[in-house]
C-alpha cells in the first residue's frame, strides 16, 4: 500500500506561511501608497471605505460565479458569529481611513503598532488566556515608542490619533472572532462574507456624514483635479488592493495564532512606514531617531546626518522649514534624519 504523496504545502508549511506573510506585506504597501495619493485630492474617508469594500464584494461575487473558490453555504449559526466580526471590520476599516486622511501614513501605522498589546489584553481579560509576564514586558518598548512618537509627531492631531486607536481595538476583536468562524468555514469564504456584511454597516454613515458634501462639490473637485478616468481607476485599484491584502491577511490568520498574526502586523508596518517615507517625503523627528539609536546605534549612525534633499521633494523640505519657523516644537536644530 503506497502512501499518497504530500502536497507542497504539507511538506513545507513554514515556507507557505512565509509566502502568505510576504504577499500580505507587499500588497499592503501598494495599497497604502495608492490610498494616501487618493486622499491627497479626495479627502472623504467614509466614502472611500465603502468603495474599498464594494470593489471587494464585486470581486467575491465574480469569484464565486466562476467557482474560484467554491462558495461555502452559510447558516444562522455562522451568520451570528460573522456579524460581530463584520462590524469590527467595518469600524476598524473606517477609523483607519479617517486616520489616514488626517495624518501622515507613517504616524497612523506607528499608532497601529500597538495592536499586539490590545490583542494580548483581549486574550487575557476577555478570553481568559493567561499571557506570560515575559510577553507583557516584550510589549513595553512598543508602547513607550508609540508614546514618544505621538508626542513629537509633526502631523499629530487628535482625530487621527483616536481613530487609529479605535481601529486597533476593533481589529483585535475581529481577529479573535474571525479565528472562531474559521472552524466552520475556510478563510477565503470567511473574509468574503465578512466584506459583504461590513459593506452594509459602512454605507449609512458614509451617506449621512459625507453624502451632502460629495454631491455638492466633492466629486466635482476630484474630477477637476485629476480627470474622470483617473479618479475612477484610482478608486477601483485601491479597492482591489485593499481586498487582496486583507484576503491574504485572513489566509495568514488561518495558519497562525491571533497574537502571532498581530506581531506580524507590526512588522508589516515597518515596511509601510519605510515606503511612505520614500514616496511621500515624511521624515523622522529627532526624538524618534534617538529612540532608534538606543535600539541599534550602528544602524542609526549611518542615517543620522543624511541630507533630506537627497530623498524628499523640494516642496516637502520647504514645508518642514516653514513649520519649524512658525510653530514651537521640541525638535532639535538639525535636519531630520530619514531612511
Amino acid at each position: 500500500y503506497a502512501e499518497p504523496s504530500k502536497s507542497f504545502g504539507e511538506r513545507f508549511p513554514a515556507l507557505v506561511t512565509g509566502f502568505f506573510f510576504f504577499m500580505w506585506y507587499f500588497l499592503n504597501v501598494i495599497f497604502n501608497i495608492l490610498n494616501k495619493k487618493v486622499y491627497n485630492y479626495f479627502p472623504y474617508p467614509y466614502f472611500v471605505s465603502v468603495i474599498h469594500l464594494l470593489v471587494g464584494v464585486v470581486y467575491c461575487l465574480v469569484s464565486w460565479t466562476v467557482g474560484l473558490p467554491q462558495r461555502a453555504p452559510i447558516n444562522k449559526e455562522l451568520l451570528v458569529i460573522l456579524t460581530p466580526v463584520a462590524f469590527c471590520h467595518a469600524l476598524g476599516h473606517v477609523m483607519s481611513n479617517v486616520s489616514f486622511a488626517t495624518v501622515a501614513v507613517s504616524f497612523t501605522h506607528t499608532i497601529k503598532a500597538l495592536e499586539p498589546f490590545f490583542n494580548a489584553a483581549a486574550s487575557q481579560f476577555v478570553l481568559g488566556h493567561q499571557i506570560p509576564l515575559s510577553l507583557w514586558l516584550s510589549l513595553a518598548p512598543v508602547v513607550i515608542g508609540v508614546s514618544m512618537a505621538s508626542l513629537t509627531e509633526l502631523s499629530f492631531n487628535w482625530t487621527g490619533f483616536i481613530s487609529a486607536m479605535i481601529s486597533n481595538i476593533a481589529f483585535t476583536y475581529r481577529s479573535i472572532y474571525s479565528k472562531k468562524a474559521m472552524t466552520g468555514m475556510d478563510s477565503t469564504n470567511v473574509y468574503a462574507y465578512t466584506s459583504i456584511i461590513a459593506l452594509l454597516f459602512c454605507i449609512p454613515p458614509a451617506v449621512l456624514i459625507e453624502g451632502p458634501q460629495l454631491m455638492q462639490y466633492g466629486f466635482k473637485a476630484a474630477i477637476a483635479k485629476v480627470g474622470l478616468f483617473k479618479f475612477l481607476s484610482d478608486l477601483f485599484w485601491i479597492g482591489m488592493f485593499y481586498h487582496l491584502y486583507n484576503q491574504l491577511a485572513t489566509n495568514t490568520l488561518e495558519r497562525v495564532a491571533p497574537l502571532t498574526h498581530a506581531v506580524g502586523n507590526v512588522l508589516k508596518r515597518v515596511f509601510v512606514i519605510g515606503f511612505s517615507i520614500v514616496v511621500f517625503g515624511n521624515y523622522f523627528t529627532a526624538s524618534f531617531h534617538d529612540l532608534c539609536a538606543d535600539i541599534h546605534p550602528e544602524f542609526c549612525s549611518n542615517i543620522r546626518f543624511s541630507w533630506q534633499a537627497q530623498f524628499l521633494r523640494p516642496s516637502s523640505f520647504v514645508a518642514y522649514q516653514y513649520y519649524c519657523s512658525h510653530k514651537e516644537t521640541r525638535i532639535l536644530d538639525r535636519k531630520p534624519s530619514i531612511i
Side-chain angles (χ1 to χ4, degrees):
Y1 176 76
E3 292 185 3
S5 59
K6 294 183 178 180
S7 65
F8 182 85
E10 292 174 329
R11 286 183 294 164
F12 306 102
L15 190 61
V16 174
T17 301
F19 174 76
F20 276 116
F21 270 106
F22 171 77
M23 290 303 299
W24 171 23
Y25 290 8
F26 176 71
L27 293 171
N28 186 255
V29 166
I30 297 175
F31 163 74
N32 275 276
I33 292 172
L34 296 179
N35 201 48
K36 187 60 178 181
K37 286 185 175 181
V38 169
Y39 281 135
N40 286 340
Y41 69 84
F42 188 68
Y44 295 94
Y46 290 89
F47 177 78
V48 172
S49 298
V50 170
I51 295 299
H52 290 159
L53 291 169
L54 179 62
V55 173
V57 167
V58 172
Y59 175 87
C60 292
L61 295 176
V62 172
S63 299
W64 279 339
T65 301
V66 299
L68 294 172
Q70 292 290 333
R71 186 182 70 85
I74 186 170
N75 53 36
K76 184 179 180 180
E77 182 180 351
L78 278 173
L79 185 62
V80 169
I81 295 174
L82 285 176
T83 298
V85 172
F87 175 78
C88 291
H89 181 62
L91 178 62
H93 179 48
V94 170
M95 290 296 101
S96 293
N97 278 294
V98 170
S99 184
F100 285 138
T102 53
V103 296
V105 172
S106 54
F107 179 59
T108 297
H109 281 283
T110 300
I111 300 302
K112 287 171 72 64
L114 285 173
E115 189 174 331
F117 174 81
F118 285 99
N119 204 297
S123 296
Q124 176 152 335
F125 300 113
V126 177
L127 299 181
H129 298 165
Q130 188 62 36
I131 304 298
L133 178 62
S134 59
L135 193 147
W136 286 110
L137 293 176
S138 69
L139 293 173
V142 177
V143 176
I144 295 171
V146 170
S147 301
M148 293 180 66
S150 300
L151 290 173
T152 57
E153 171 60 38
L154 298 182
S155 69
F156 179 88
N157 67 56
W158 283 107
T159 300
F161 176 81
I162 294 174
S163 299
M165 291 294 286
I166 292 174
S167 74
N168 274 336
I169 298 171
F171 284 147
T172 293
Y173 283 94
R174 181 196 65 177
S175 296
I176 292 173
Y177 289 110
S178 289
K179 194 72 174 179
K180 289 184 177 181
M182 289 176 196
T183 57
M185 186 183 294
D186 66 278
S187 58
T188 301
N189 276 288
V190 164
Y191 184 66
Y193 282 117
T194 299
S195 296
I196 294 171
I197 302 171
L199 177 61
L200 301 178
F201 281 120
C202 286
I203 290 175
V207 173
L208 294 174
I209 297 173
E210 295 178 344
Q213 301 173 37
L214 288 169
M215 297 303 296
Q216 187 175 359
Y217 52 81
F219 292 127
K220 294 178 182 178
I223 294 171
K225 288 180 180 178
V226 300
L228 179 61
F229 178 78
K230 178 171 175 52
F231 177 54
L232 294 178
S233 63
D234 282 352
L235 292 179
F236 170 77
W237 284 114
I238 60 174
M240 183 58 68
F241 279 109
Y242 172 79
H243 177 81
L244 292 177
Y245 101 72
N246 273 284
Q247 181 62 73
L248 265 296
T250 308
N251 294 147
T252 306
L253 178 61
E254 187 178 29
R255 305 179 66 87
V256 299
L259 188 56
T260 303
H261 190 267
V263 173
N265 223 346
V266 174
L267 297 178
K268 176 201 72 178
R269 302 190 193 288
V270 175
F271 284 84
V272 175
I273 291 171
F275 276 95
S276 72
I277 289 167
V278 174
V279 174
F280 296 110
N282 298 333
Y283 42 81
F284 292 153
T285 61
S287 61
F288 182 83
H289 179 276
D290 292 340
L291 177 64
C292 292
D294 291 337
I295 298 172
H296 201 314
E298 181 181 353
F299 170 72
C300 287
S301 66
N302 294 328
I303 66 171
R304 177 171 296 179
F305 299 108
S306 298
W307 288 90
Q308 188 180 21
Q310 293 176 349
F311 299 90
L312 303 188
R313 298 184 297 274
S315 60
S316 299
F317 188 44
V318 171
Y320 169 78
Q321 290 178 315
Y322 178 86
Y323 185 95
C324 290
S325 62
H326 287 77
K327 191 168 185 176
E328 293 181 3
T329 67
R330 290 186 288 174
I331 296 177
L332 302 181
D333 291 330
R334 71 187 184 201
K335 287 183 172 60
S337 306
I338 76 164
I339 296 177

